[in-house]
Each structure stands twice: as C-alpha cells, then as structure tokens.
Amino acid sequence: MVREFKLPDVGEGVAEGELLEWHVEPGDTVAEDQVVADVETDKAVVDVPSPVNGTVRELLAEPGDVVPVGTVIITFDVEGEAPPESERDATTDAETGAVAEGDGDAEAAAESSGNGQGGRVFAAPSARRLARELGVEIAAVDGSGPGGRVTESDVRAAAESQPDESDDGKQLKSAVSRIDDGEDGSGKSSVSDGLSSAVSRVDDGESGGSDAAGGAVAAGAVEAAGRERTLAAPATRQVAEDLGVDIDDVPTDEVRDGQAFVDEAAVREYADAQQRAQEADAEALADASEAGEAGPPTTTAESGAGPDAVEAAEGDRREPYRGVRKTIGRAMERSKFTAPHVTHHEKVDATALVETREKLKARADDRGVKLTFVPFVMKAVAAALDEHPVLNTQLDEDNEEIVFKSDRNFGVAVATDAGLMVPVVDGVDGKGLLQLASETNELVAKCRERSIAREEMQGGTFTITNFGAIGGEYATPIINYPETAILGLGAIEERPVAEDGEVVARDVLPLSLSVDHRVIDGADAARFVETLKEYIEDPTLLLLE
C-alpha cells in the first residue's frame, strides 16, 4: 500500500514552507515519528516526522522548493494498511485507465484521472481555481512542479495553447476586460469598477488584431467576491489587514457552517493578483499612449525588472528574500511605518554592576549557568516598569484603547544567520538571576540552532536588544510591534568620568530607549531611564524587589 504524506500545517497562519533538507532517500526504512525532512516556514525551521512505519517510495520535492501546506512531498510503502477512503471512492480500469466515479463530483473525478497519464493530479487550490476560470481541464495539464505538480504557470500555458474562441459572442472565462481603441480613438484603456478592469487588452477592434501600439495583454485579474460575511481565523484577518485586502473580496470555494471560509493562502494569492493586475494595467496604459511603438509590452513579472528592481552587475550575488528573513522585514516595516519612533539616549555608570556580576559569575559557573549582564538589566527593567507602567503597554487601535500589560514578559533580540529573532522570557519579575540567565541562554541557543518553537516567540510586553555584545555605543532600535518600547544596550566600556572635580575611569553602559510616541511621551521615557539608572548603578536595590 502506498501512503502519501502532505506537508502539514506547522503553525497558525503558515501557508507554505521551504524544504531545506531530506534526511531520507528512496528505499530507506523509517519508523513513525522519525524526522524525514527539515522545513523552514516564515516563523522558524521545523522537523517533519514520518506518519507511518514503512519504506520511502518517492521524494516529490527538492531542497530549495517552496511547498504549499497540503502538498504531497513524500510517499511511503506501508505493508498491511488498508487504502484510505479517498482512494476507495474510485476504481481504475487496468487497461483503459478509466475512472469510475464514487460519490465525488466531476472535479474529484478529474483529480483522480491524472495528467493524461493515469494516477492522481497534484495541483494547488490556486491552480485549480485558475483552471476553472480559464476553462482548462486540470487533468489534461502536464505539471512541471515537484513530482509532476500542476502550477499556475502550467495552467496558463495550457490555456494559451487552446484554440482561440470565435467572435460569435463567447465570453472569456477569465476576468479580462477588452478595450477597443477604435471605440474612442484614444488608444487608452479606462479603469472600470473593481479588479476586473485592472488587466486589460488593447485591441484594434478586429478579432486577433493589434492596435498601433502593438496591443497589450496582461495577466488575468481576479474579480472581487464582494460577500457580506466571511469566516476566517484571526491570524488570517490580520494578514488581510496588513496587505490592505478586504477579506470579503477574497475569492474562495471553501464553506464552513454555511459561510464562505478564507485562509491565509487565499488572501496572499488575491493580494498578489491585485498587485500584478495594477502593474499590468499601468503598463498597458503607458504602452497604449506611446504612438508608433510596436510589439506587446514586457510585464514586470516577465522581465523581472519592475520600477524598484535592482540590476545585478557581474560578480554580484543574489539569494532569495523569503522565509524567516522576509517575516522579519515585514515586522520591521510594519513597526517603523505604524508607530512613530522616538529614541532617548543616556549613559549609565555600570561600575557596581560589573563588580556584582564578577562576584556572582563563579557561583553561576559552578551551577552550570553562564551569567551575562542581560539578566541584571531584565530585573532592573521589571522594577522600573512597576514605577512607569506606560512603557509596558500595547495600543489597541481597533478599540482605541491603551492596554497596560500586567505581565513582565521580555523579548530578547538574538542575531542569527537568518536574521534577528526575538524569543520571550515569561514572568521576569518573579524569577531569580540564575533562572533568568538559564532560560535566556536556552532560548538564544534554540534561535541559533533554528529549533525554537513559534509559541516561544510570542506574548512579549517589552524587548531588550544587546547590540553592545557585537560592538557599538548607541542605536535607534525598532520597536517589536505591538509593544510600545524597546531598550538597546551598548557596549560596557571603561571611560573617563568627572567625579568630585576629578576625572576617573568608570565602566559606562550606553542606553538607547525607543518608544511609540503615540502612547509614550518623551518625558515618560526620560523618567523611566532615570529610574532604570538607579537600579543599574546600585544593583543591591534589586534585593528589595
């Protein structure tokens, strides 16, 4: 019996993952729960375990492939296992390859028939939707993706290879509007209501003809659904909000409890279609306005040279911008362009802190714990927040409320090969230095090994970033949205300080505090730092907390 294994949903809101490495090869014997692959999502690197005891039959994806959740990535030979119901619903004639339909609909039968070669058709939901829009029979499309998977490009290629429809009033099944330059003489398309106008074809009014500008054909746009109600997970709604998409406009075939249901993949696909359509429409307009230019325009998607494209010279190197790195970029962009940042800089005499750490370092080593300055600062921040709680807040823009968080859950920014990651240490105010040091060290190690769980990077109320460990004095840290403050620690260095009319050498710690100016005034930030200084300059005060 052959068992197919699909890429599982490895976390809420995760729609796809990049296959990093296979740990098995065809012919290998595997046990249930044995790790067979490493997959990187936009959150972290996760292990993919085998669901069965069996033998690896076929690997259907290559390292580096970005695979949607639900895609079959590997098959196993399993002895003594009954076929799944989905396979019992259809029987295949051994000689003709004909499929007898069970209770499934026509599309299910087409899926079972294979790409004209027998076997099941593997295709993403987006490719199936596109096939329906373009009137393409999915079973007849040759897939170019991993394991013969049918992609959207395959569907479009199949649609283009079909005979042109006649001019006897047949409508195009895709959402493409046709503009005749012979109607108004301008040679320019006008933008009609909704997305259906975003992609247009400029014609001379004759079937198969072209205008003076050579005609312009852009990729098909997706019509807005325009529903009154849509079911979706909170994370999906957040993605729609981030991308500027009305979730009621996202097309979907999925229904739950009698209502249309939309997942994150559909939202992102619709947003991408919007962007492509807008770019294509703008290009078509520009092309039509240039008299005498022949030939169809090259779209951004075709040339890879959009208005913001970067030209690479000989010797330059490119690498994909995706996965964790892309997620970090989106988070930074959202924070910087949502929260007006103000950064307060200050210097702290950390001589007593350095001495205290040196006294306790040997005892910590005896207990197997590496004691850095960060746990001391975490305790000092927790104490200072008790006096200045406005820095431990989040802004609920939907309800127009400032939420004062009761927890003291601190994110600790960690530099990794994939970019900056922020694991969260919970309940800082209720833990001792050694426990904080141990938990922080463990989370940092998980980040650098790429094994940290998504939930270990959630729930933060305040963030600390120690850029001084690498080098540097001051910075302007970007707030870990939706928090409202982040503290940056510079390098502790011995510096000349004026004391009682004399210049003496003291250990100085530079601080950089960025705050969301919508919630926190500059005076609030300054007062918080002054309180924080008291605890850093005299760590024995922390014994009172």
Side-chain angles (χ1 to χ4, degrees), residues 7 15-20 39-42 61-69 71 73 124 145-146 149 151 320-323:
L7 179 65
E16 62 186 15
E18 179 183 354
L19 180 63
L20 296 182
V39 172
E40 180 182 16
T41 70
D42 58 355
E62 296 290 336
D65 288 347
V66 177
V67 184
V69 168
T71 302
I73 59 174
R149 184 177 182 80
T151 66
Y321 178 60
R322 61 191 183 203

Side-chain angles (χ1 to χ4, degrees), residues 388-517:
H388 307 281
V390 71
L391 279 89
N392 198 56
T393 56
Q394 293 181 2
L395 180 59
D396 185 345
E397 298 181 63
D398 290 340
N399 294 311
E400 298 184 340
E401 294 175 339
I402 299 172
V403 181
F404 287 76
K405 307 297 288 186
S406 59
D407 294 329
R408 301 290 186 264
N409 302 334
F410 293 170
V412 180
V414 179
T416 73
D417 292 340
L420 199 66
M421 304 179 76
V422 187
V424 176
V425 180
D426 294 331
V428 170
D429 51 337
K431 295 175 180 176
L433 287 173
L434 290 184
Q435 185 178 359
L436 290 176
S438 178
E439 291 185 13
T440 302
N441 294 341
E442 181 180 353
L443 290 170
V444 169
K446 285 184 177 181
C447 286
R448 290 176 176 158
E449 295 168 357
R450 311 290 296 282
S451 62
I452 190 159
R454 183 169 179 263
E455 55 269 18
E456 292 177 303
M457 295 190 291
Q458 296 177 320
T461 63
F462 188 98
T463 297
I464 298 172
T465 176
N466 183 21
F467 53 82
I470 300 173
E473 189 173 359
Y474 294 105
T476 54
I478 296 178
I479 298 166
N480 190 17
Y481 189 85
E483 298 168 16
T484 55
I486 180 172
L487 178 68
L489 308 179
I492 297 179
E493 294 180 349
E494 194 173 59
R495 300 175 185 274
V497 175
E499 188 174 285
D500 298 329
E502 297 182 2
V503 177
V504 296
R506 308 289 287 179
D507 291 307
V508 176
L509 169 62
L511 301 178
S512 300
L513 176 71
S514 290
V515 298
D516 184 342
H517 215 354

